[in-house]
Amino acid sequence: MRRVVVTGLGMVTPLACGVEETWSRLIAGESGAGPIKRFDPAGVITQYACEIPLGDGTNGTFNPDDWMEPKDRRKVDDFILYGMTAAVQAVRDSGWEAVTEEDKHRTGVMIGSGIGGLSSIAETAVLIKERGAKRVSPFFIPGALINLVSGQVSIRFGFKGPNHAVVTACSTGAHAIGDAARMIAFDDADVMIAGGAESPISEIGIAGFNACKALSTKRADDPTKASRPYDADRDGFVMGEGAGVVVLEEYEHAKARGAKIYAEVLGYGLSGDAYHITAPSEDGDGGYRSMQMAIKRAGLTPADIDYINAHGTSTMADTIELGAVERLMGDAAAGATMSSTKSAIGHLLGAAGAVEAIFCILAIRDQIAPPTINLDNPAVTPKLDLAPNKAVKRKIDVALSNSFGFGGTNASLIIGKVSA
Amino acid sequence: MSDIADRVKKIVVEHLGVEENKVIENASFIDDLGADSLDTVELVMAFEEEFGIEIPDDAAETIQTFGDAVKFITGAA
C-alpha cells in the first residue's frame, strides 16, 4: 500500500486564524470562549460560544478580505469562507503547485462539513416567508451545499482529481482525512486537500443544539470556564466554528519534490454504534472498535500510542470515551497522555476532527501534549494522564485522534512520526 | 448621467466588484465585467428590487450591457 504523509497545514479556529497562532495559544492554555457576538442571542438559552476572533488580520485575527474577495464572499455561507481560508493556508504551507495537466488530475479535494449552510437556509426560508419565493438568490444553493468547499477550492487552484465531501456530523473532519488518505493509498491521487469546515453559530444552530440538550448553559458569567471535559461540573459542549485542512501526499511524491513532511497517516478506523441518534452506547463499544481498527491498520499495539486527542466534548459522554480508551489501552494507559482540546476551542462539529488531527501532528513535531483546560475536579479517577490545565512535555511518536458524531458514527486516526 | 443610470451603475459595481469607470454604455456584463450566468440573474433581481419593477425572463435575456439595463429600466419605471 502507498504511504501517505502530511505536507501542509491550515486552520482558522476560535483561538486564532493560522496554525502557529492557534497552536501557541492552545499550548498556553488560553480559551476561545466568550459572549455570542455573531447574532443577537436574546432568544436562545446559551449566551456564549467560541467564535473566531475577527479583525484586520494581524495578531492572529481573521480578516475575511485576506482569503476571499468581498464579491465572492457574498455568494457563500461562512463555512465555505472558513474552509477556503484553511485550504489556502494548507496549500501555501505545502508548497505544492499543480502546474502540468497531469499534476492537476492527480490532486483532489475532500473537505466536508457537518451541517453546511445552515444560516443561509434559515435566512432564505425567512426571505421566502416575508417577500416571496421569487426573491431567492441564484447563489443560495451553491452557497449552502456542503461539497461546495471542495468545489470552490478546486476552482481556485485548478485541482482536477477526486472531488468529494464527507458529511458525518462531528466525525466529518476525521473521516475526510482518513478517506482522502485511502484515495492516495489506492492510487486515485497523489495529493489530496482534506479536512472540514463549520459555521454553526447562528440562532438556528444554537437553538437546535439547545433543544437536543447538548450545549452548556450555566456559565454565562464566565464563558471561558464552560468547556470543561471530564470535570465533575461540566454541563454540555460549547459551540465553536472554523475549519482545519491538511495537504496529504504520497510519500515518494513528497520526497521527490523535497517537501517538508510533518507526519504520516498510519492508521484509520471507523465504526457505527447502531444505538441512538445523539447518545453513544454506554459501554463505548463503537469508539472502542474504531480505535481498535485504526491501531490494527497501523500495525501497532496500544502500548505504541503516546498521545490521544480525545473527542471529549464536555458532556456526559466524556467518561464513556475515557472508559473505552482505558479498556483499549489496558496496562499501557499509565504511559499515555490524553487531552481534549475542545476545552479551549469548543466543538467545531464537522471541522473538529481535522483541527484536532492537526493538533496531533503539532504535538508530534513539538513533543508536547496540549492541555485539557478547566479540568479542576475530575468526574472520575482516570487511569491515564488527562493533561489538566497544563501542556505536558513528553515523547510523542504516535498520536491517536478520536471523533464521534450524532447518528453513532465514529472515526479514529493514527498519526505518527515519519520513519525513513 | 441620469439618476437611473447612477443607481444601475452602483448595483453593477457592488455585485460584480468592478471599477466604476469600467461600467460604460456598451460594457457587456459577461464579456467585459466578468459576470457569469448566475451573476446576471442576480443583477436582474437587484434591478427589480431597486426600481420596484418586474423584469420578465424573456426581457431579462435582452439585457446584456449596462446600456441595455438603463434603457429597459427607463422604459419600465
Side-chain angles (χ1 to χ4, degrees):
Chain A
M1 202 68 96
R2 286 154 40 105
R3 293 171 66 183
V4 181
V5 294
V6 182
T7 57
L9 309 175
M11 62 170 63
V12 53
T13 75
L15 283 177
C17 178
V19 171
E20 301 303 335
E21 293 84 349
T22 296
W23 179 240
S24 60
R25 288 171 194 188
L26 183 75
I27 293 299
E30 292 181 28
S31 165
I36 288 174
K37 290 184 252 175
R38 207 58 90 233
F39 68 98
D40 176 3
V44 295
I45 300 165
T46 296
Q47 299 292 303
Y48 46 91
C50 290
E51 296 182 349
I52 294 169
L54 298 173
D56 63 2
T58 60
N59 194 28
T61 57
F62 175 57
N63 180 358
D65 288 347
D66 292 344
W67 309 98
M68 264 183 120
E69 286 189 44
K71 76 174 166 72
D72 296 325
R73 223 164 59 226
R74 215 170 38 76
K75 301 172 186 170
V76 301
D77 194 276
D78 281 346
F79 80 102
I80 295 179
L81 167 68
Y82 301 158
M84 178 63 84
T85 299
V88 169
Q89 290 173 17
V91 171
R92 281 183 192 160
D93 184 40
S94 75
W96 171 240
E97 287 177 44
V99 179
T100 67
E101 203 56 20
E102 174 67 8
D103 285 346
K104 291 176 183 169
H105 294 170
R106 298 291 295 172
T107 305
V109 190
M110 175 133 57
I111 301 169
S113 180
I115 318 184
L118 188 59
S119 49
S120 301
I121 294 169
E123 286 161 16
T124 304
V126 171
L127 178 87
I128 289 176
K129 177 92 176 160
E130 289 179 350
R131 308 187 50 209
K134 285 183 180 168
R135 304 312 309 170
V136 174
S137 163
F139 298 107
F140 161 55
I141 296 291
L145 288 179
I146 283 175
N147 70 299
L148 260 285
V149 186
S150 292
Q152 291 271 5
V153 169
S154 74
I155 293 164
R156 162 97 58 123
F157 292 101
F159 297 150
K160 298 183 179 177
N163 199 273
H164 206 330
V166 173
V167 182
T168 50
C170 309
S171 297
T172 297
H175 274 138
I177 292 173
D179 290 349
R182 288 204 171 158
M183 287 194 175
I184 294 173
F186 273 58
D187 204 9
D188 297 323
D190 292 323
V191 182
M192 289 292 296
I193 318 305
E198 202 77 61
S199 55
I201 304 177
S202 59
E203 190 169 33
I204 191 171
I206 298 295
F209 281 92
N210 268 154
C212 294
K213 306 292 178 199
L215 295 179
S216 167
T217 60
K218 294 178 181 162
R219 299 263 176 181
D221 54 328
D222 190 358
T224 66
K225 303 288 183 210
S227 187
R228 41 194 319 111
Y230 314 108
D231 192 86
D233 296 326
R234 70 198 188 281
D235 76 320
F237 79 78
V238 178
M239 190 71 91
E241 60 176 351
V245 172
V246 297
V247 174
L248 300 174
E249 194 164 346
E250 193 271 324
Y251 178 54
E252 297 298 336
H253 187 275
K255 261 203 327 193
R257 68 179 185 93
K260 163 184 61 190
I261 298 176
Y262 284 99
E264 179 165 0
V265 180
L266 297 173
Y268 172 41
L270 49 174
S271 69
D273 284 352
Y275 176 73
H276 186 266
I277 51 173
T278 60
S281 64
E282 279 165 31
D283 58 3
D285 163 68
Y288 179 87
R289 286 183 293 106
S290 165
M291 290 186 276
Q292 195 180 42
M293 186 191 294
I295 289 173
K296 185 181 162 195
R297 284 274 168 238
L300 298 172
T301 66
D304 296 315
I305 309 291
D306 300 307
Y307 170 64
I308 299 160
N309 188 296
H311 182 60
T313 55
S314 187
T315 63
M316 289 308 126
D318 295 355
T319 46
I320 295 176
E321 180 190 15
L322 179 61
V325 169
E326 288 176 345
R327 197 149 56 87
L328 179 91
M329 295 295 284
D331 292 340
T337 298
M338 172 160 107
S339 63
S340 170
T341 45
K342 289 187 180 78
S343 58
I345 62 171
H347 192 353
L348 274 61
L349 308 184
V355 167
E356 289 158 18
I358 295 172
F359 290 156
C360 286
I361 292 162
L362 298 170
I364 291 166
R365 183 192 70 179
D366 293 349
Q367 299 287 289
I368 190 164
T372 304
I373 66 169
N374 299 321
L375 178 49
D376 302 325
N377 178 25
V380 293
T381 306
K383 293 187 177 123
L384 67 181
D385 174 24
L386 296 177
N389 295 310
K390 261 195 130 114
V392 177
K393 285 191 174 138
R394 55 160 296 153
K395 173 186 87 77
I396 302 175
D397 292 338
V398 177
L400 166 72
S401 185
N402 277 336
S403 295
F404 309 142
F406 278 5
T409 174
N410 312 298
S412 301
L413 290 169
I414 293 185
I415 292 161
K417 237 182 194 163
V418 179
S419 53
Chain B
M1 196 180 278
S2 71
D3 167 59
I4 287 177
D6 279 345
R7 286 156 69 190
V8 170
K9 185 179 282 191
K10 189 161 173 278
I11 289 170
V12 172
V13 166
E14 258 176 37
H15 283 257
L16 302 182
V18 291
E19 300 286 328
E20 208 177 307
N21 60 16
K22 297 264 165 51
V23 187
I24 53 174
E25 173 84 22
N26 291 326
S28 156
F29 295 128
I30 289 179
D31 296 334
D32 301 317
L33 302 176
D36 64 19
S37 59
L38 295 181
D39 289 316
T40 60
V41 172
E42 201 192 33
L43 271 181
V44 167
M45 287 174 63
F47 298 150
E48 289 179 328
E49 179 90 7
E50 172 72 17
F51 296 99
I53 56 174
E54 197 157 319
I55 305 178
D57 282 353
D58 52 349
E61 280 166 25
T62 68
I63 301 177
Q64 305 279 336
T65 66
F66 172 62
D68 293 342
V70 175
K71 198 169 146 197
F72 182 89
I73 293 161
T74 306

